[in-house]
Amino acid sequence: MSQFEKPLFDNLMSGDYVAEGDLIQLITDEEEEEQGKELTGEEIPILSVRNTVLFPGVVIPITVGRQRSIKLVKKAHKGDKFIGVCAQINPNNDDPSWEDIYHVGTLAKIIKMIVLPDGNTTIIIQGKKRFRIKEEITDDPYFIAKVNFLEENFPKSSKKIQALEESLKEAATRILHLNPEIPREAQVALDNIDNTPFLTHFLSSNINAPVESKQRLLEINDGVERATLLLEFMMKDIQMLELKSEIQKKVHTDIDQQQRDYFLRQQMKVLQTELGEEGPEKEVEDLRARGASKNWPKEVALHFEKELNKILRINPSAAEYPIALNYAETMVELPWNEFTQDNFDLKHARKILDSDHFGLEKVKDRIIEYLAVLKLKNDLKGPILCLYGPPGVGKTSLGKSIAKALGRKYIRMSLGGLHDEAEIRGHRKTYVGAMPGKIVQNMKKVKISNPVFVLDEIDKLSSDFRGDPSSAFLEVLDPEQNFAFLDNYLEVEYDLSKVLFIATANSLDTIQPALRDRMEIIEVTGYTQEEKVEIAKRHLVPKQRKEHGLKTNQVRFDKSALVKIIEDYTRESGVRNLERAIGKVIRNVAKSIAMEEEYDPKITPDAVRKILGSEMFDKETYQDNSVAGVVTGLAWTSVGGEILFIESSLSKGKGKLTLSGQLGDVMKESAVTALSYLKSKADKLGIDHRVFDQYDLHIHVPAGAVPKDGPSAGITMLSAMASVYTQRKVKAKVAMTGEISLIGKVLPVGGIKEKILAAKRAGIKEIILCKKNKRDIEEIDENYLKGLEFHFVDRVGEVLDIALLKSKVDRPVQFSFNPESHPS
């Protein structure tokens, strides 16, 4: 017995074919008398089966395909479910007669019948009792015969029977160990059989023997004789398995590793030829042919040829082979001196910039200037531009427009959160999983040596123990060095000087100074309300309408509706939130159209409020000047300019200064500087010195959950302190920004345009700035300055003269002093 039949064993042990709630019981000799009472008589239908001998107690599946066999099975299944099963002498005979079947068989009970989609029928049967055909009654429509049932002649338990049973089990266990294909669960089945007759039936059914041998076992009436013959068959099988195992071990020892590799390699070649696949030599020759067509430098060509020769010397099954092959493929897939023709039609470039972006006139002029220089030089060597400004103002899309205007291919690489230097320079190819850096990967992807390469969010680079990526960019972004950029993976120099790099940033403070020095900074400022309305009409509304599948006549925005969205629902320098709000309104219209509801295609301010809900921002955020100590300041944030309020109050105490509103160190130091200056000028401002020692001062900046820092609130804090100590009101609708020094000088600050736009949105009429900031005002478009009056100051005294009114508030704080604190 070389193996137990796995499908049979699995069915028997798992019960897959057992009807729900049923359990197939294995028959034993002791139960045969009770089972015999179920039999319907001596006339039974006979089913002839091929290559199978059924033994009592054993459960097997049989697929029935012949028509008369199917009729027999179906009729028996509807009746008492009993049939006779006889093995077929010649399995190739499709229409057997009585002479073609063995006349000793086994009575079986149909446990379950399954009709398959192809018309065949599978039955699960369990052997019950052996029989011999006594009289052949008919063969139409199927075999029917009279039979005599054969009794099992197995003596009761004795030492001989016990020894025979143990021998059978040991032989079966030995076969299990020699044949790894037999499921290990077969050992469990053997251990659980404690009935000698059933053990012989079970093993007889599963031995690896021809049908003739199994039929011979079935026909033997004497149980001891049958078990002895079964053991003989099993011992022959064990000898064959042991001999086979010994031969395999000897052959395996004789073939050394080199012969084995050669044999397997020859097999691989034959298989690859049959399948039409390429072998290692063919792959290398293809790479060599592709390399011959590349326009690369002589040193790179020599290096590539050297790598190909190295690949041919490596065993294809070695771990280094795929690494070397990938390296060669990377080199041949990179663009080497492959360029697109630049389009230096500046009028065409201006037209594209104007169609893609509204406003930003100075930015467009700067870009056209750069393109003009490129045209005059007739040189592909590109400058390094850095578009700097708040989010949502179109920095990234400007890079795409430049590529479109020049006729170059466009690549965008996001640098946000990049903190591994190897992402830029790549890994050495000796490392597991090594690959080139993102720069080389993108060049390989675009397949051109002179694309427009946008480095998005370059201010978001970070560094950790894996290196500093911003330092790696020093070589990439230096026109004097990047013609020989060295990627760790490539190991040869790669020319990046023809690439037009454009970086974008929200803030310049976090960019490494050496990296910032390599870039031409172009400031992209925020938009005015009028510009936002035009951008919405020309770009945002058509884009959102198209994305939501609506036609022009299905939704149109009134100008007043766009103004309402801009003023009441968005407060930003760019237009991202404006686009989201427009998209929400259009989605509401799309829902009405899809649900066939009535709606007005014209979007009015009332419709905007109904769809978007209550206003998120107050149109007029300026606070009145009825209380002393409250001053409006101007601040710059990464999303544009904002106004902020500095509030101050006095209370009885010991001269303590309290600052609140989540202020940074620089802002706290500005407050301390302002207070020190105020104390030094108390006599000039008419402030009693005793108030500094006997009253506590509290400075608060509202929106306490938002961190605030920077020196630009210096003159604002000083004005708030001076107002509360003198109880003089602050001039209405005035705002200010500027840094102060301890000796009373007003110093310039940045972000002037964003701050002016914030002041206009808040309804401010007058703005106080440092004199040195006048140059920033001169560069701003006059449309931004309409309705504003500017005061340029040099000293703190000028700020207080402009900001503080002469009269005090209606109910000024009444200071009372302890005379003992300052004896005269």
Side-chain angles (χ1 to χ4, degrees), residues 284-297 300-302 304-305 308 328 331-333 336 338:
V284 173
E285 291 306 315
D286 286 349
L287 287 172
R288 198 186 303 275
R290 290 169 63 188
S293 63
K294 302 295 285 187
N295 183 25
W296 45 23
V300 178
L302 291 173
F304 180 71
E305 192 68 24
L308 292 184
M331 286 195 68
V332 82
E333 287 174 4
W336 301 85
E338 299 170 22

Side-chain angles (χ1 to χ4, degrees), residues 6 36 133 172 179 275 316 353 422 424 434 438 446-448 473 490 639 673 695 721 793:
K6 190 176 186 303
I133 295 176
N179 193 341
L275 294 172
L353 291 173
I424 309 301
K438 291 284 181 64
V446 80
K447 300 186 183 304
I448 283 297
F473 269 112
L490 280 186
V639 295
T673 303
Y695 283 83
M721 293 178 189
V793 298

Side-chain angles (χ1 to χ4, degrees), residues 71-282:
K71 290 179 183 178
L72 182 155
V73 167
K74 287 184 176 179
K75 185 170 182 180
H77 186 261
K78 291 179 180 177
D80 57 10
K81 296 183 172 25
F82 283 101
I83 60 173
V85 178
C86 292
Q88 195 169 311
I89 297 174
N90 181 8
N92 297 321
N93 193 341
D94 290 333
D95 188 18
S97 62
W98 286 107
E99 290 76 19
D100 296 321
I101 64 173
Y102 290 104
H103 280 47
V104 175
T106 304
L107 182 73
K109 184 174 184 179
I110 300 175
I111 305 299
K112 189 171 184 64
M113 184 172 73
I114 304 167
V115 179
L116 302 175
D118 60 1
N120 291 335
T121 301
T122 295
I123 56 173
I124 312 301
I125 59 175
Q126 182 181 35
K128 296 291 186 180
K129 195 173 183 68
R130 296 182 304 122
F131 66 80
R132 183 183 298 275
I133 295 176
K134 180 174 69 171
E135 181 182 346
E136 302 161 354
I137 296 176
T138 182
D139 59 359
D140 186 28
Y142 43 76
F143 293 129
I144 298 178
K146 285 187 178 182
V147 300
N148 287 331
F149 293 108
L150 304 177
E151 298 297 330
E152 294 293 338
N153 183 13
F154 218 101
K156 297 297 181 182
S157 178
S158 65
K159 289 185 178 180
K160 182 177 180 181
I161 298 299
Q162 186 177 356
L164 192 58
E165 180 179 348
E166 290 180 359
S167 298
L168 288 171
K169 286 190 175 183
E170 287 176 2
T173 302
R174 178 63 179 157
I175 291 172
L176 287 175
H177 288 300
L178 287 172
N179 193 341
E181 296 180 2
I182 303 176
R184 297 298 96 189
E185 294 86 351
Q187 184 67 53
V188 180
L190 285 173
D191 295 340
N192 289 330
I193 297 175
D194 56 1
N195 182 277
T196 307
F198 178 66
L199 178 64
T200 60
H201 293 323
F202 181 71
L203 294 177
S204 298
S205 180
N206 287 283
I207 61 171
N208 183 28
V211 172
E212 295 82 1
S213 299
K214 291 186 177 183
Q215 182 67 29
R216 183 180 167 191
L217 289 170
L218 182 70
E219 294 177 357
I220 295 175
N221 288 325
D222 184 81
V224 175
E225 183 182 349
R226 186 191 309 141
T228 304
L229 181 59
L230 172 63
L231 184 60
E232 182 182 334
F233 288 154
M234 293 175 69
M235 295 309 294
K236 288 181 180 178
D237 211 2
I238 289 173
Q239 291 175 3
M240 289 296 293
L241 286 170
E242 288 177 341
L243 182 60
K244 181 180 176 181
S245 177
E246 184 179 347
I247 291 172
Q248 288 176 344
K249 287 180 181 177
K250 185 177 180 181
V251 172
H252 181 73
T253 306
D254 291 344
I255 300 177
D256 60 15
Q257 187 66 32
Q258 185 176 0
Q259 290 173 317
R260 178 176 178 274
D261 289 349
Y262 175 78
F263 176 70
L264 291 175
R265 199 173 296 115
Q266 291 301 114
Q267 279 189 323
M268 284 176 61
K269 285 183 179 180
V270 173
L271 291 173
Q272 286 170 345
T273 303
E274 291 293 327
L275 294 172
E277 296 180 355
E278 299 176 353
E281 293 83 1
K282 183 71 165 59

Side-chain angles (χ1 to χ4, degrees), residues 349-491:
R350 183 72 194 206
K351 184 178 179 181
I352 288 178
L353 291 173
D354 287 338
S355 64
D356 291 349
H357 298 85
F358 183 82
L360 305 177
E361 298 303 324
K362 290 189 179 296
V363 177
K364 294 176 188 176
D365 290 341
R366 294 280 293 275
I367 292 172
I368 294 296
E369 289 170 7
Y370 277 113
L371 299 183
V373 171
L374 283 176
K375 179 179 180 179
L376 294 175
K377 288 171 63 181
N378 196 21
D379 185 1
L380 293 173
K381 190 173 180 180
I384 313 299
L385 305 179
C386 179
L387 302 176
Y388 148 69
V393 294
K395 300 185 297 297
T396 305
S397 59
L398 270 171
K400 188 178 291 187
S401 296
I402 294 171
K404 186 177 175 183
L406 278 173
R408 293 192 182 191
K409 290 191 176 182
Y410 170 80
I411 307 174
R412 175 184 166 273
M413 176 180 171
S414 178
L415 301 179
L418 195 71
H419 48 250
D420 189 354
E421 182 185 344
E423 294 284 345
I424 309 301
R425 291 189 179 277
H427 309 79
R428 297 192 183 279
K429 67 174 187 280
T430 52
Y431 292 113
V432 176
M435 61 179 66
K438 291 284 181 64
I439 300 290
V440 172
Q441 285 184 42
N442 280 290
M443 297 300 293
K444 174 182 168 184
K445 180 180 178 182
V446 80
K447 300 186 183 304
I448 283 297
S449 300
N450 64 333
V452 172
F453 203 128
V454 173
L455 302 169
D456 215 4
E457 311 287 358
I458 198 169
D459 57 321
K460 306 298 190 303
L461 286 172
S462 58
S463 59
D464 60 8
F465 64 93
R466 284 167 286 194
D468 182 6
S470 61
S471 297
F473 269 112
L474 295 178
E475 180 184 4
V476 175
L477 299 183
D478 191 342
E480 302 302 322
Q481 299 181 41
N482 62 11
F483 66 90
F485 174 68
L486 187 62
D487 187 283
N488 291 329
Y489 183 82
L490 280 186
E491 297 180 350

